Amino acid sequence: MAEHSSMRHVATFCGNCNCGCPELFVDEAAEPERRIVITDDFGQRIQMSLGQLHDLVADVKGGVLDGLLTSTGS
């Protein structure tokens, strides 16, 4: 992903390879409802608000995805 000056890198998920791992950014110049940016290794982006990210993190911490991960053998 081409870096834009308003994009602040927060995290890289995986990072153990050179395959373009998913990354999390904050786009300081974006509208509040599109400020959080998650990129994948195919060049796609998801944009969401900080509130939506908060809800996602709370759900993950609460175990909402646990069944998905155990059913796929990951």
Side-chain angles (χ1 to χ4, degrees):
M1 175 177 158
E3 291 296 322
H4 187 272
S5 62
S6 65
M7 298 280 279
R8 178 171 45 94
H9 183 263
V10 176
T12 300
F13 306 104
C14 177
N16 297 325
C17 60
N18 193 18
C19 65
C21 300
E23 295 181 88
L24 175 67
F25 296 89
V26 175
D27 186 349
E28 306 290 355
E31 299 168 7
E33 63 271 7
R34 299 173 58 99
R35 191 151 291 157
I36 303 302
V37 179
I38 300 174
T39 62
D40 69 13
D41 51 340
F42 301 105
Q44 302 297 310
R45 305 166 49 122
I46 298 170
Q47 293 177 268
M48 65 181 73
S49 69
L50 187 58
Q52 289 171 312
L53 178 64
H54 180 272
D55 291 344
L56 176 64
V57 170
D59 284 349
V60 170
K61 285 181 175 181
V64 171
L65 300 180
D66 290 355
L68 174 67
L69 296 176
T70 57
S71 69
T72 61
S74 297

